[in-house]
Amino acid sequence: MNAINLEPEIWTAEVVYTGFGTPMLDGGLVVVGEHVAAIGGLEELRQTYPSANIIHRGKALTPPVVNAHTHLDLSKLSLYRGSYTGFIKQVIAGGAERGIDAARMGLNELEVLRVGAFGDIVARDEVMDFLLEHSPLPGVLYREVLGSNPDQADEIFNSVKPKFLAWKRREGRAKVGISPHTAHTVSAPLMKKLVEFAGLEDFPVQIHIAESPEETSYFRDNSGPLAEFMAPFNPSWRGPGISPVEYLADLGLLGPHITLVHGVQVDENDVQIIAQAGCKLISCPRSNEGLECGIFPWSLYGKHNVEVALGTDSSGSSPDLDVRKEALFLWDKGIDPRVLVRAATRSGYRALGLEAVRITRGTPISQVQSW
């Protein structure tokens, strides 16, 4: 057996974050053996441990990261680059590739990446059963519900309600949530039923919203490629002349138990609505770039103190499921790296309603990630 080195080392990085407080630009962790012995400013640690070697560990030292938004059952889908509506068509065309095998691939990738938790949008009952039974990782499994025809709202809700209640009784490491897919694929009456049910039964909720310019056009005046695509599914739809965020707000559906995903195509009024409602938000930067969705307005969300986490979306719209690469993708684009590190860790746990993992004195170094 190899002897454990008990000489103190000071680990540092461009950003050091313990999972609470403010991420440090000139911070460090003192490591003795297999545990963290001290945390603080780099100069302070140097003075306290003058003989310790200083080891630079890359861009960031953090608790385990969180991928707050995935679609594991799309893990067999080929990477797509093009319009949002084109991607939706590819997802539909690749339906035969969805299922337990694809979800297992995605789950294995998350394990290899050593994520601390994940949020997954689950499209099929058998995948929900599989993940509830076999996920070794903590997280939230949001069963996706679709139905754009308002005449079918009661039928769809009554069919999924008992399933959600049964799944909730089987929760283990992974919890159960609800995902009314988007404001344009879920009718207003069905959306209301699902969100109200979630509030009453304490299910967390994720809703895709304001992802692409095509979605904005669909809501503003029922124009553009998404409107053409959606016409057969909801022929009675007339653009309400407002943004997707305003649409959800007017339905009275936004609140602290709602997490919104994407939120790219927003203005200041939209962000104020999100902030006042207490919603959290998940950004998927590489997916948004690949699907021509636009640039996420980090400064605007920061101005209104909206908590933003990070996700990858699916392997069909992002090169992999490594949420650290989402942060590194933005690192040199002018986004404060402290914001990105927090988004990849603490904000992810909070978006999923899970207890945040922290680095403290005595934390095993196996719980410290360098990236």
Side-chain angles (χ1 to χ4, degrees):
M1 180 179 294
N2 295 328
I4 297 175
N5 178 18
L6 295 180
E7 292 297 321
E9 299 175 340
I10 299 175
W11 291 5
T12 189
E14 289 185 31
V15 179
V16 176
Y17 186 44
T18 61
F20 61 98
T22 302
M24 296 179 285
L25 293 176
D26 295 299
L29 309 174
V30 175
V31 174
V32 177
E34 300 295 320
H35 294 83
V36 175
I39 301 162
L42 187 57
E43 288 304 315
E44 174 190 356
L45 296 178
R46 278 174 168 162
Q47 293 174 14
T48 306
Y49 298 87
S51 63
N53 289 327
I54 296 175
I55 300 176
H56 293 270
R57 301 298 298 262
K59 292 282 192 180
L61 284 168
T62 69
V65 296
V66 177
N67 191 337
H69 183 71
T70 64
H71 292 258
L72 296 184
D73 72 350
L74 291 176
S75 294
K76 289 187 175 183
L77 206 65
S78 298
L79 181 64
Y80 175 87
R81 286 291 178 262
S83 71
Y84 169 80
T85 301
F87 175 67
I88 297 303
K89 292 177 180 179
Q90 174 162 308
V91 169
I92 294 172
E97 296 294 327
R98 305 183 81 167
I100 292 175
D101 287 345
R104 183 183 287 111
M105 285 177 56
L107 185 62
N108 290 342
E109 183 176 350
L110 293 179
E111 285 189 82
V112 170
L113 292 168
R114 297 173 55 233
V115 300
F118 72 108
D120 188 48
I121 305 298
V122 182
R124 297 188 177 179
D125 292 352
E126 61 269 25
V127 173
M128 177 66 86
D129 291 332
F130 166 75
L131 292 173
L132 278 173
E133 183 71 23
H134 296 287
S135 176
L137 302 171
V140 182
L141 310 174
Y142 300 88
R143 179 59 167 93
E144 183 178 81
V145 182
L146 298 97
S148 57
N149 186 336
D151 295 334
Q152 297 174 346
D154 286 338
E155 177 186 352
I156 294 172
F157 177 73
N158 291 333
S159 70
V160 299
K161 178 181 176 179
K163 294 180 182 181
F164 280 113
L165 295 174
W167 284 322
K168 193 173 183 65
R169 291 192 290 270
R170 296 173 51 198
E171 288 182 337
R173 299 210 75 189
K175 309 301 180 183
V176 177
I178 300 176
S179 178
H181 178 240
T182 70
H184 61 272
T185 56
V186 179
S187 68
L190 180 56
M191 183 77 75
K192 286 184 177 181
K193 289 177 181 293
L194 291 168
V195 171
E196 289 171 2
F197 170 65
L200 289 172
E201 298 293 342
D202 197 28
F203 287 99
V205 174
Q206 278 194 12
I207 304 173
H208 304 77
I209 200 72
E211 184 172 359
S212 71
E214 296 163 59
E215 183 181 341
T216 300
S217 297
Y218 182 68
F219 275 87
R220 292 293 184 188
D221 56 13
N222 195 27
S223 65
L226 183 60
E228 181 179 349
F229 173 76
M230 288 296 300
F233 302 101
N234 188 8
S236 65
W237 172 264
R238 299 293 180 267
I242 55 178
S243 74
V245 171
E246 289 175 308
Y247 174 79
L248 288 184
D250 286 354
L251 293 176
L253 301 181
L254 298 182
H257 66 301
I258 304 295
T259 297
L260 303 175
V261 185
H262 297 301
V264 180
Q265 292 296 322
V266 293
D267 58 20
E268 185 148 19
N269 180 61
D270 291 328
V271 176
Q272 285 179 323
I273 289 171
I274 292 168
Q276 290 166 3
C279 298
K280 297 177 179 62
L281 195 133
I282 301 170
S283 176
C284 304
R286 292 184 296 166
S287 174
N288 292 156
E289 180 191 56
L291 301 187
E292 303 172 356
C293 293
I295 298 174
F296 184 83
W298 285 91
S299 60
L300 192 55
Y301 282 106
K303 175 182 175 181
H304 292 283
N305 297 312
V306 175
E307 182 129 42
V308 179
L310 287 175
T312 57
D313 218 307
S314 76
S315 297
S317 63
S318 188
D320 51 56
L321 300 181
D322 192 345
V323 77
R324 292 168 294 194
K325 291 181 181 177
E326 301 293 336
L328 295 175
F329 173 74
L330 299 169
W331 200 279
D332 298 319
K333 295 182 181 293
I335 309 301
D336 187 334
R338 294 171 297 180
V339 171
L340 298 173
V341 164
R342 179 185 166 99
T345 53
R346 180 175 174 80
S347 294
Y349 289 105
R350 289 171 61 85
L352 298 177
L354 303 175
E355 183 177 356
V357 177
R358 299 180 175 188
I359 299 172
T360 61
R361 183 177 180 182
T363 295
I365 59 172
S366 61
Q367 287 294 301
V368 178
Q369 293 189 352
S370 59
W371 43 289

